[in-house]
């Protein structure tokens, strides 16, 4: 009941049912004020009181007889067997109408050949003779046998009423839910669009069909998606262009630095220019990952990790592969190799060495990279994937890098449907955990042969 659709549906159903109940109750009690649950005894009691008022106006000694010749007004009650249950029901009906006059209902012997017992009573009201004591001491005697009347209340009795009520509730609920679903369809389109955003961050194109409101919502979302994509592409092109254009002046400056006579100053200039070149190259790589597409291949992560460890060890970095279970993922080999290399270089450079391990189960492939460095302060964990992030920008120890390695690796992993989790190890050091969706093993291929990232 926390969704807007469920709440609006519940409000509509309750409101409609309350209105229907009030309308039916008002109309029913106007038409049949003595039901429920008094049955036909209430109607008979009302008729009896009207007749009592008329009889009270008849002078004493005047004979009043029915069409069958029986006396309606008698000085004493008629003789016969009193029916206690009918008498009690009639007394209660009179009391509800505000009358305290004594009343008794006498059983009438069944006609010849008719079965005796409760089942022989006419279904329209009390059986036998009803005698009502008037205030002046006379008794009003009325034949209680009446013509069969339709049973009070809805057809079918209690079961029929319950079935009618259940049908009404079900009908109102179905109509209300259908109406609310149509009304809230534009809102569900927004939710569906948000859920269908892929790892590339681009909203999907929605079909522009259906009712007017739904089409308007789809058109607005598609227009917004197109503008966002155009804006992102424009910024990516600006960054890539600026990083690319930096290489020309950097090349000229490197050539000029070669002619600096002071050897120490020349080395410092070349080191700074090399770092600028790495920053420009990393920016281009990051933008490339933002816009790069292409088909996915089956990549053996265990072999890829082994190739990365071997390549980094050859250039003097302390990287070792501890364990590697066969594991396959669907992805782009060059991009995944670049991500693993960045994470391993980060651990080997800042943590004094990197230890890699690859494991897999039916659902995912896990790559763990550990080091023994100082780790990352918990207060800065939320910023580790920001471009150009450095744990200590003011540190005296100069470590090469542009601060884009983690950002690029995270971008690659997220675009492959995975996630990168960083945490400090209890005994010291940083743990980098890569989780990617597992894929079925394909042809025997060597992802490490994809070349340098």
């Amino acid at each position: 009941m926390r969704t807007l659709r469920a709440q609006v549906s519940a409000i509509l159903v309750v409101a409609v049912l309350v209105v229907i109940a009030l309308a039916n109750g008002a109309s029913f009690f106007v038409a049949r004020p003595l039901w429920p649950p008094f049955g036909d005894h209430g109607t008979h009691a009302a008729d009896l009181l009207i007749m009592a008022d008329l009889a009270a106006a008849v002078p004493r000694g005047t004979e009043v007889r029915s069409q069958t010749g029986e006396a309606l007004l008698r000085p004493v009650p008629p003789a016969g067997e009193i029916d206690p249950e009918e008498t009690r029901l009639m007394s209660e009906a009179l009391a509800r109408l505000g009358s305290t006059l004594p009343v008794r209902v006498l059983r009438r012997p069944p006609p010849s050949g008719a079965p005796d017992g409760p089942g022989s009573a006419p279904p329209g009201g009390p059986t036998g003779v009803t005698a009502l004591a008037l205030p002046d001491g006379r008794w009003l005697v009325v034949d209680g046998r009446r013509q069969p009347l339709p049973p009070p209340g809805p057809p079918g009795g209690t079961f029929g009423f319950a079935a009618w009520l259940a049908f009404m509730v079900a009908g109102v609920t179905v109509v209300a839910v259908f109406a609310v679903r149509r009304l809230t369809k534009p809102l569900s389109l927004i939710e569906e669009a948000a859920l269908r955003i892929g790892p590339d961050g681009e909203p999907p194109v929605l079909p522009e069909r259906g009712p007017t409101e739904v089409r308007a919502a789809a058109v607005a979302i598609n227009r917004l998606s197109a503008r966002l994509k155009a804006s992102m592409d424009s910024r990516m092109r600006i960054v890539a262009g600026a990083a690319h254009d930096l290489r020309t002046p950097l090349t000229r400056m490197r050539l000029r630095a070669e002619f600096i006579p002071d050897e120490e100053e020349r080395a410092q200039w070349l080191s700074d220019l090399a770092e600028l070149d790495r920053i420009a190259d990393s920016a281009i790589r990051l933008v490339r990952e933002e816009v790069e597409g292409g088909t996915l291949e089956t990549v053996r992560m265990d072999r890829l990790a082994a190739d990365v460890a071997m390549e980094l060890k050859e250039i003097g970095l302390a990287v070792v592969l501890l364990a590697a279970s066969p594991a396959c993922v669907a992805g782009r080999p060059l991009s995944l190799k670049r991500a693993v290399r960045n994470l391993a270089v980060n651990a080997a450079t800042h943590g004094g060495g990197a230890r890699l391990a690859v494991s897999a189960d039916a659902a995912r492939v896990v790559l763990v990279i550990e080091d023994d460095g100082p780790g990352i302060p918990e207060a800065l964990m939320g910023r580790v994937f920001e471009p150009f992030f450095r744990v200590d920008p003011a540190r005296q120890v100069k470590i090469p890098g542009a601060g884009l390695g983690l950002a690029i690796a995270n971008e690659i992993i997220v675009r492959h449907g995975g996630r990168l989790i960083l945490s400090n190890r209890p005994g010291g050091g940083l743990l980098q955990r890569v989780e990617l969706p597992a894929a079925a093993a394909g042809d025997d291929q060597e992802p490490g042969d994809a070349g340098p990232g």
Side-chain angles (χ1 to χ4, degrees):
M1 293 296 292
R2 293 185 178 181
T3 63
L4 178 62
R5 178 177 298 174
Q7 293 177 2
V8 175
S9 299
I11 291 174
L12 284 178
V13 170
V14 172
V16 173
L17 290 179
V18 168
V19 171
I20 291 177
L22 292 177
N24 279 274
S27 61
F28 187 83
F29 280 103
V30 167
R32 304 181 72 101
L34 299 178
W35 189 93
F38 312 136
D40 195 55
H41 288 86
T43 305
H44 188 53
D47 296 342
L48 197 61
L49 289 180
I50 294 174
M51 297 175 64
D53 290 340
L54 296 175
V58 177
R60 296 181 65 88
T62 305
E63 291 187 359
V64 179
R65 296 183 180 276
S66 65
Q67 294 180 353
T68 59
E70 297 180 356
L72 296 179
L73 293 175
R74 304 181 187 182
V76 294
E81 181 184 0
I82 297 177
D83 188 332
E85 181 64 19
E86 291 290 338
T87 300
R88 182 185 64 81
L89 293 175
M90 184 58 67
S91 298
E92 293 177 356
L94 291 171
R96 285 190 292 267
L97 296 176
S99 173
T100 59
L101 298 176
V103 67
R104 61 182 65 175
V105 179
L106 308 179
R107 287 196 177 98
R108 181 185 296 275
S112 177
D116 198 359
S120 61
T127 62
V129 175
T130 302
L132 180 66
L134 299 179
D136 57 5
R138 292 179 296 175
W139 287 81
L140 175 63
V141 181
V142 179
D143 189 350
R145 292 182 298 178
R146 302 160 62 89
Q147 294 297 323
L149 298 176
T158 304
F159 177 78
F161 177 75
W164 171 80
L165 184 63
F167 179 78
M168 181 182 66
V169 171
V172 170
T173 302
V174 170
V175 173
V177 169
F178 177 77
V180 171
R181 184 178 180 84
R182 292 292 299 271
L183 290 175
T184 58
K185 184 65 175 178
L187 298 179
S188 64
L189 275 179
I190 299 176
E191 180 182 2
E192 293 174 4
L195 293 176
R196 289 169 55 188
I197 295 178
D200 56 0
E202 295 183 7
V205 178
L206 300 178
E208 299 176 1
R209 60 174 182 268
T212 303
E213 295 80 3
V214 176
R215 290 199 307 272
V219 169
I221 294 175
N222 290 338
R223 186 181 297 117
L224 175 63
S225 301
R227 291 180 179 177
L228 286 176
K229 187 177 185 305
S231 177
M232 292 172 58
D233 291 345
S234 175
R235 294 186 180 186
M236 291 299 106
R237 285 193 295 269
I238 291 174
V239 174
H244 183 273
D245 292 343
L246 277 175
R247 289 183 169 180
T248 300
L250 285 175
T251 302
R252 293 198 301 265
M253 293 175 68
R254 187 179 296 107
L255 291 175
R256 293 171 184 171
E258 294 288 347
F259 295 98
I260 296 177
D262 190 312
E263 183 176 348
E264 182 178 355
E265 184 178 0
R266 181 173 66 252
Q268 185 65 40
W269 271 93
L270 292 176
S271 175
D272 291 342
L273 289 173
E275 184 171 1
L276 286 174
D277 189 65
R278 283 193 297 269
I279 293 175
D281 184 68
S282 297
I284 293 175
R285 290 179 183 273
L286 180 61
V287 172
R288 185 180 300 167
E289 291 301 331
E290 290 280 353
V291 299
E292 188 178 36
T295 58
L296 302 181
E297 304 176 18
T298 301
V299 181
R300 284 284 298 271
M301 285 297 295
D302 53 320
R303 297 177 181 175
L304 187 147
D307 290 346
V308 170
M310 182 181 62
E311 292 175 4
L312 295 182
K313 188 182 298 184
E314 290 176 353
I315 62 176
L317 294 178
V319 180
V320 59
L321 180 64
L322 298 180
S325 302
C328 295
V329 300
R332 298 188 298 273
L334 290 177
S335 296
L336 288 174
K337 191 171 185 179
R338 183 180 303 127
V340 175
R341 182 188 292 112
N342 286 353
L343 296 178
V345 169
N346 181 71
T349 304
H350 301 282
R355 298 182 296 274
L356 281 65
V358 179
S359 60
D361 56 27
R364 62 182 179 176
V365 173
V366 179
L367 167 66
V368 175
I369 303 176
E370 298 180 349
D371 62 58
D372 298 317
I376 299 175
E378 293 296 336
L380 299 178
M381 274 295 184
R383 300 179 51 201
V384 292
F385 300 131
E386 295 178 3
F388 306 105
F389 170 78
R390 295 288 185 90
V391 174
D392 184 8
R395 61 190 174 188
Q396 299 299 322
V397 180
K398 186 171 182 62
I399 299 177
L404 287 172
L406 283 178
I408 294 174
N410 183 64
E411 182 69 27
I412 294 172
I413 293 168
V414 170
R415 285 181 175 271
H416 282 78
R419 60 176 181 169
L420 173 59
I421 305 172
L422 271 61
S423 61
N424 291 313
R425 298 174 58 213
L430 185 68
L431 186 147
Q432 304 176 90
R433 180 183 177 90
V434 178
E435 297 180 359
L436 291 167
D443 298 332
D444 188 18
Q445 56 183 350
E446 298 290 341
D449 295 339

